[in-house]
Amino acid sequence: MARPTKQAPPPLRVDTARVVLAGIALWAVALVVVLLLGDRVDRLWTWTCLAAIGLALLGLGIMRWQGQLGRKD
């Protein structure tokens, strides 16, 4: 017997810019914590936070260039 197939649910509407900005905020908080801890943590974490913030900003720039920001579908 063949089972009836279910339709796929509709895609979620997500404001990707808001998600990326929330991620930037979290990485910025992590950067502040790492800087406050000073020599008790490895400097690699400082560069990790900075790289994450930089890549997220680059992603926002690409999203703007592609016209994905501010678009209401």
Side-chain angles (χ1 to χ4, degrees):
M1 284 190 181
R3 288 181 161 178
T5 59
K6 294 181 181 179
Q7 285 187 342
L12 295 174
R13 291 180 182 238
V14 177
D15 185 2
T16 52
R18 194 174 283 178
V19 172
V20 173
L21 289 171
I24 290 173
L26 290 173
W27 279 110
V29 169
L31 177 62
V32 169
V33 170
V34 167
L35 290 174
L36 288 174
L37 289 175
D39 292 336
R40 290 179 272 186
V41 294
D42 191 4
R43 281 291 140 207
L44 180 64
W45 288 109
T46 304
W47 291 110
T48 301
C49 294
L50 289 172
I53 292 169
L55 287 172
L57 291 172
L58 177 66
L60 278 176
I62 290 172
M63 287 169 30
R64 178 179 217 155
W65 175 60
Q66 290 178 340
Q68 293 177 2
L69 294 181
R71 186 173 64 182
K72 303 287 183 198
D73 287 285

